[in-house]
Amino acid sequence: MSSPKNGFYRQEITKTLWEVRDRYRDLQPVGSGAYGTVCSAVDRRSGTKVAIKKLYRPFQSQILAKRAYRELRLLKHMKHENVIGILDVFTPDVTLEKFNGFYLVMPFMGTDLSKIMKHEKLSEDRIQFLVYQMLKGLKYIHSSGIIHRDLKPGNLAVNEDCELKLVWVYFVFLLQILDFGLARHTDAEMTGYVVTRWYRAPEVILNWMHYTQTDCSSKETHHFYPVVKDFVPYFWYSDLDQLTEIMKITGTPSQDFVQKLKSQDAKNYIKSLPKVQKKDFASVLKHASPLAVNLLENMLVLDAEERVTAAEALMHPYFEPIHDPEEEIEAEKYDDTFDNMDLPLDEWKREFSFKNGQLERPSQNKNILLC
């Protein structure tokens, strides 16, 4: 085995060899998934704790290379305090021919909303603050034309100061909103299968391959549907079970809603259901404030075209004590033209170039230095 590149060192972690920059020390395993593994580390330059992700074989196939490129592009595009972004990206490989992988460095948050909810009862003020931060992050990513397809408490990272970030990577680990691998710019090929069932919007279940930006991005608040799960005493075993439970709360949809559905099977299913009246949310959410109940009712509207958007929800009176328009910023539109590209592996590698930790378009030099 050759010596580490100058400025790097090697360490074996859970039977995997890591070769990272000298500035990152005290590596500790955090989690792993289908596409990579994550360690925490201390950045000696800043003295802060960071999360470092190592992708598994990103250039094993064209599909994996494209996913890796998308993840890096998405992370670089996100520049918002409530959305996971990237602090550094590096590779120990020195030429394009030897370029086999890279590392992503992100903020380390420490825990996620799912764990917090399991171990403590959240006060009204804390709930208000967490939901406000989540909506700010959602407004930002939606404004860029990007959607998050598996937004759930486990993908909402929180630090000790109750600061929240939406996390996106190819697998979920216990840090911020971390699922950029599942987050996609809107396209006509999206299905609901990647979305944890409890967190699927009704339109995802009903339309599957007809998932549009109207369904899930500009009007997307499908991440609030897990609230319905807490209204029933058992788990759902199928999407239709879930849909039935949702409608026990929201009521049977109108004929206008049914006509909007693109799937004839979905139309037939809705028509076959017995008529159910919408529940009084205040009677279900007995311990929530009237403003919180009203906000939730606006979020849990079956028709996505009538459902409140993240931007609209931020204007709700529930957030009046903490509402700050200057913090509710929008993003630049995300350029997804590369999503339609089908390149050989060598060409995908050429799309990556590192200079001082920043992704740039490489030159045509086949021996480009990746530093």
Side-chain angles (χ1 to χ4, degrees):
M1 182 183 295
S2 61
S3 300
K5 174 184 170 183
N6 187 36
F8 284 69
Y9 73 97
R10 289 178 180 150
Q11 182 176 340
E12 185 176 304
I13 300 172
T14 59
K15 298 182 180 180
T16 300
L17 183 65
W18 285 57
E19 189 168 350
V20 301
R21 285 179 168 172
D22 285 333
R23 64 183 285 187
Y24 302 115
R25 291 288 177 171
D26 192 24
L27 270 64
Q28 301 292 332
V30 171
S32 62
Y35 296 100
T37 185
V38 176
C39 281
S40 64
V42 175
D43 182 354
R44 295 198 298 182
R45 290 188 186 177
S46 65
T48 60
K49 200 170 186 179
V50 298
I52 304 179
K53 178 181 178 184
K54 179 180 182 178
L55 296 174
Y56 295 139
R57 301 177 291 279
F59 302 116
Q60 186 178 41
S61 68
Q62 291 170 267
I63 291 176
L64 290 177
K66 188 172 183 177
R67 281 176 176 168
Y69 187 68
R70 177 188 293 125
E71 179 174 1
L72 186 50
R73 288 283 307 277
L74 282 164
L75 284 168
K76 282 183 58 62
H77 187 78
M78 295 296 123
K79 296 179 173 61
H80 189 277
E81 64 180 358
N82 299 119
V83 182
I84 188 69
I86 194 166
L87 301 174
D88 189 12
V89 55
F90 62 85
T91 178
D93 305 320
V94 296
T95 65
L96 191 64
E97 285 76 10
K98 294 181 179 180
F99 181 32
N100 292 312
F102 58 94
Y103 298 80
L104 301 167
V105 183
M106 295 165 280
F108 182 85
M109 298 294 285
T111 190
D112 64 65
L113 188 56
S114 176
K115 283 193 169 184
I116 291 175
M117 291 167 62
K118 287 178 181 176
H119 294 100
E120 60 182 285
K121 182 176 176 63
L122 298 177
S123 66
E124 179 80 11
D125 288 348
R126 199 172 182 195
I127 292 171
Q128 181 188 60
F129 185 50
L130 288 167
V131 175
Y132 180 66
Q133 291 181 88
M134 178 172 63
L135 287 170
K136 286 193 297 176
L138 283 172
K139 177 184 176 179
Y140 181 83
I141 63 173
H142 291 171
S143 68
S144 73
I146 296 169
I147 65 172
H148 192 299
R149 292 196 285 171
D150 199 15
L151 190 55
K152 57 188 178 183
N155 285 353
L156 296 168
V158 183
N159 67 15
E160 59 185 10
D161 295 322
C162 203
E163 294 171 344
L164 175 147
K165 286 183 185 287
L166 291 87
V167 180
W168 329 26
V169 288
Y170 286 124
F171 66 100
V172 178
F173 64 93
L174 305 179
L175 303 174
Q176 303 143 307
I177 294 183
L178 249 145
D179 225 336
F180 266 127
L182 297 180
R184 291 291 308 280
H185 196 275
T186 303
D187 59 52
E189 307 254 334
M190 293 169 59
T191 73
Y193 290 105
V194 297
V195 184
T196 309
R197 178 175 291 128
W198 290 349
Y199 303 89
R200 290 177 191 155
E203 61 270 20
V204 180
I205 300 171
L206 291 168
N207 284 328
W208 291 118
M209 295 304 290
H210 303 284
Y211 201 90
T212 67
Q213 182 145 349
T214 300
D215 291 330
C216 61
S217 183
S218 61
K219 289 290 183 181
E220 179 194 17
T221 51
H222 73 255
H223 44 281
F224 294 105
Y225 270 85
V227 175
V228 179
K229 172 176 70 70
D230 296 325
F231 295 168
V232 293
Y234 55 85
F235 297 110
W236 301 313
Y237 296 100
S238 73
D239 293 303
L240 295 184
D241 290 337
Q242 171 167 343
L243 196 58
T244 300
E245 295 304 324
I246 287 173
M247 291 179 187
K248 286 180 181 178
I249 305 300
T250 64
T252 305
S254 67
Q255 187 61 32
D256 288 342
F257 172 81
V258 174
Q259 291 306 313
K260 293 176 186 177
L261 298 174
K262 298 179 178 66
S263 166
Q264 187 58 48
D265 288 340
K267 290 181 180 180
N268 292 339
Y269 171 72
I270 296 294
K271 291 176 181 178
S272 73
L273 295 174
K275 299 294 182 182
V276 179
Q277 292 296 316
K278 174 179 174 292
K279 280 198 174 183
D280 176 14
F281 275 56
S283 67
V284 177
L285 302 169
K286 297 177 181 178
H287 301 293
S289 69
L291 285 177
V293 171
N294 181 261
L295 174 62
L296 192 59
E297 278 194 285
N298 289 321
M299 291 174 170
L300 297 180
V301 173
L302 200 63
D303 189 340
E305 293 182 3
E306 302 298 325
R307 193 181 308 150
V308 68
T309 67
E312 291 166 348
L314 286 166
M315 303 298 293
H316 193 275
Y318 177 67
F319 298 114
E320 195 276 332
I322 56 176
H323 175 57
D324 185 350
E326 292 185 2
E327 291 186 0
E328 299 163 14
I329 62 174
E330 295 187 350
E332 294 182 6
K333 291 296 181 183
Y334 176 69
D335 178 9
D336 70 337
T337 52
F338 74 92
D339 256 10
N340 297 318
M341 294 164 40
D342 291 309
L343 304 176
L345 275 176
D346 285 348
E347 291 299 317
W348 276 117
K349 284 187 178 184
R350 279 194 181 85
E351 292 296 314
F352 291 83
S353 177
F354 298 89
K355 182 178 180 181
N356 297 324
Q358 297 299 312
L359 175 68
E360 298 180 348
R361 284 298 294 265
S363 68
Q364 298 304 308
N365 180 1
K366 292 185 179 180
N367 293 314
I368 182 170
L369 183 68
L370 301 168
C371 55

